[in-house]
Coordinates of all heavy atoms in Angstrom, one line a residue:
Chain A
V9 N -2.8 -21.6 -10.0 CA -1.7 -20.6 -10.2 C -2.3 -19.2 -10.2 O -1.8 -18.3 -9.6 CB -0.9 -21.0 -11.4 CG1 0.1 -19.8 -11.7 CG2 -0.2 -22.2 -11.3
M10 N -3.3 -19.1 -11.1 CA -3.8 -17.7 -11.3 C -4.4 -17.1 -10.0 O -4.1 -16.0 -9.6 CB -4.9 -17.7 -12.4 CG -5.1 -16.4 -12.9 SD -6.0 -16.3 -14.4 CE -5.2 -17.3 -15.5
L11 N -5.2 -17.9 -9.3 CA -5.8 -17.5 -8.0 C -4.8 -17.2 -7.0 O -4.8 -16.2 -6.3 CB -6.8 -18.5 -7.6 CG -7.7 -18.1 -6.4 CD1 -8.4 -16.9 -6.7 CD2 -8.6 -19.3 -6.1
Q12 N -3.7 -18.1 -6.9 CA -2.7 -17.9 -5.8 C -1.9 -16.6 -6.1 O -1.6 -15.8 -5.2 CB -1.8 -19.1 -5.8 CG -2.5 -20.2 -5.1 CD -1.7 -21.5 -5.0 OE1 -0.6 -21.5 -5.6 NE2 -2.2 -22.5 -4.4
T13 N -1.5 -16.4 -7.4 CA -0.7 -15.2 -7.7 C -1.5 -14.0 -7.4 O -1.0 -13.0 -6.8 CB -0.3 -15.3 -9.2 OG1 0.1 -16.6 -9.5 CG2 0.8 -14.3 -9.4
M14 N -2.8 -14.0 -7.8 CA -3.6 -12.7 -7.6 C -3.8 -12.5 -6.1 O -3.8 -11.4 -5.6 CB -4.9 -12.8 -8.3 CG -4.9 -12.8 -9.8 SD -3.8 -11.6 -10.4 CE -4.7 -10.2 -10.0
T15 N -3.9 -13.6 -5.3 CA -4.2 -13.4 -3.9 C -2.9 -12.8 -3.2 O -3.1 -12.0 -2.4 CB -4.5 -14.8 -3.2 OG1 -5.6 -15.3 -3.9 CG2 -4.8 -14.6 -1.8
R16 N -1.7 -13.3 -3.6 CA -0.5 -12.7 -3.1 C -0.5 -11.2 -3.3 O 0.0 -10.5 -2.4 CB 0.7 -13.3 -3.7 CG 0.9 -14.7 -3.3 CD 2.3 -15.2 -3.6 NE 2.4 -16.6 -3.2 CZ 2.5 -17.6 -4.0 NH1 2.7 -17.4 -5.3 NH2 2.5 -18.8 -3.6
L17 N -1.0 -10.8 -4.4 CA -1.0 -9.3 -4.7 C -2.1 -8.6 -4.0 O -1.9 -7.6 -3.3 CB -1.1 -9.1 -6.2 CG -0.9 -7.7 -6.8 CD1 0.5 -7.3 -6.4 CD2 -1.1 -7.8 -8.2
L18 N -3.3 -9.2 -4.0 CA -4.5 -8.5 -3.6 C -4.6 -8.5 -2.0 O -5.2 -7.5 -1.5 CB -5.7 -9.1 -4.2 CG -5.9 -8.9 -5.7 CD1 -7.0 -9.6 -6.2 CD2 -6.0 -7.4 -6.0
A19 N -4.1 -9.5 -1.4 CA -4.2 -9.5 0.1 C -3.5 -8.2 0.7 O -4.1 -7.6 1.6 CB -3.6 -10.7 0.7
F20 N -2.4 -7.8 0.1 CA -1.8 -6.6 0.6 C -2.6 -5.4 0.4 O -2.7 -4.5 1.2 CB -0.4 -6.4 -0.1 CG 0.6 -7.3 0.4 CD1 1.1 -8.4 -0.4 CD2 1.2 -7.1 1.6 CE1 2.0 -9.2 0.1 CE2 2.1 -8.0 2.1 CZ 2.6 -9.0 1.3
V21 N -3.3 -5.3 -0.8 CA -4.1 -4.2 -1.1 C -5.3 -4.1 -0.1 O -5.6 -3.0 0.5 CB -4.7 -4.2 -2.5 CG1 -5.6 -3.1 -2.8 CG2 -3.5 -4.3 -3.5
I22 N -5.9 -5.3 0.2 CA -7.1 -5.3 1.1 C -6.6 -4.9 2.5 O -7.3 -4.1 3.2 CB -7.8 -6.6 1.1 CG1 -8.2 -7.0 -0.3 CG2 -9.0 -6.6 2.0 CD1 -8.7 -8.4 -0.5
L23 N -5.5 -5.5 2.9 CA -5.0 -5.2 4.3 C -4.6 -3.7 4.5 O -5.0 -3.1 5.5 CB -3.8 -6.1 4.6 CG -4.1 -7.5 4.9 CD1 -2.8 -8.3 5.1 CD2 -4.9 -7.6 6.2
A24 N -4.0 -3.2 3.4 CA -3.6 -1.7 3.5 C -4.9 -0.9 3.6 O -5.0 0.1 4.3 CB -2.8 -1.4 2.3
F25 N -5.9 -1.3 2.8 CA -7.1 -0.5 2.8 C -7.8 -0.6 4.1 O -8.5 0.4 4.6 CB -8.0 -0.9 1.6 CG -9.1 0.0 1.3 CD1 -8.8 1.3 0.9 CD2 -10.4 -0.4 1.4 CE1 -9.9 2.2 0.7 CE2 -11.4 0.5 1.2 CZ -11.2 1.8 0.8
S26 N -7.8 -1.8 4.7 CA -8.5 -1.9 6.0 C -7.8 -1.1 7.1 O -8.5 -0.4 7.9 CB -8.5 -3.4 6.4 OG -7.2 -3.8 6.9
V27 N -6.4 -1.0 7.0 CA -5.8 -0.1 8.0 C -6.1 1.4 7.7 O -6.4 2.1 8.7 CB -4.2 -0.3 7.9 CG1 -3.5 0.7 8.7 CG2 -3.9 -1.7 8.4
Y28 N -6.2 1.7 6.4 CA -6.5 3.1 6.1 C -7.9 3.4 6.6 O -8.2 4.5 7.2 CB -6.5 3.3 4.6 CG -7.3 4.5 4.1 CD1 -6.8 5.8 4.3 CD2 -8.5 4.3 3.5 CE1 -7.5 6.9 3.9 CE2 -9.2 5.4 3.1 CZ -8.7 6.7 3.3 OH -9.4 7.8 2.9
I29 N -8.9 2.5 6.4 CA -10.3 2.7 6.9 C -10.3 2.8 8.4 O -11.0 3.6 9.0 CB -11.2 1.6 6.4 CG1 -11.7 2.0 5.0 CG2 -12.3 1.3 7.3 CD1 -12.8 1.2 4.5
F30 N -9.5 2.0 9.1 CA -9.4 2.1 10.5 C -9.0 3.4 11.0 O -9.6 4.0 11.9 CB -8.5 1.0 11.0 CG -8.1 1.1 12.5 CD1 -9.1 0.9 13.4 CD2 -6.8 1.4 12.9 CE1 -8.8 1.0 14.8 CE2 -6.5 1.5 14.2 CZ -7.5 1.3 15.2
F31 N -8.0 4.0 10.4 CA -7.5 5.3 10.8 C -8.3 6.5 10.4 O -8.3 7.5 11.0 CB -6.0 5.5 10.4 CG -5.0 4.8 11.2 CD1 -4.3 3.8 10.7 CD2 -4.8 5.2 12.5 CE1 -3.4 3.1 11.5 CE2 -3.9 4.5 13.3 CZ -3.2 3.5 12.8
A32 N -9.1 6.3 9.3 CA -9.9 7.4 8.7 C -11.2 7.5 9.5 O -12.0 8.4 9.3 CB -10.2 7.1 7.3
G33 N -11.5 6.6 10.5 CA -12.8 6.5 11.1 C -13.1 7.7 11.9 O -14.3 7.9 12.2
H34 N -12.2 8.6 12.3 CA -12.6 9.7 13.2 C -13.3 10.8 12.4 O -14.2 11.4 12.9 CB -11.3 10.3 13.9 CG -11.7 11.0 15.1 ND1 -12.1 10.5 16.3 CD2 -11.7 12.4 15.3 CE1 -12.3 11.4 17.2 NE2 -12.1 12.6 16.6

Side-chain angles (χ1 to χ4, degrees):
Chain A
V9 172
M10 199 168 300
L11 188 57
Q12 284 178 356
T13 317
M14 293 315 290
T15 303
R16 287 198 184 113
L17 191 60
L18 290 174
F20 284 108
V21 178
I22 303 173
L23 284 174
F25 193 62
S26 76
V27 171
Y28 162 74
I29 272 193
F30 169 66
F31 281 111
H34 199 75

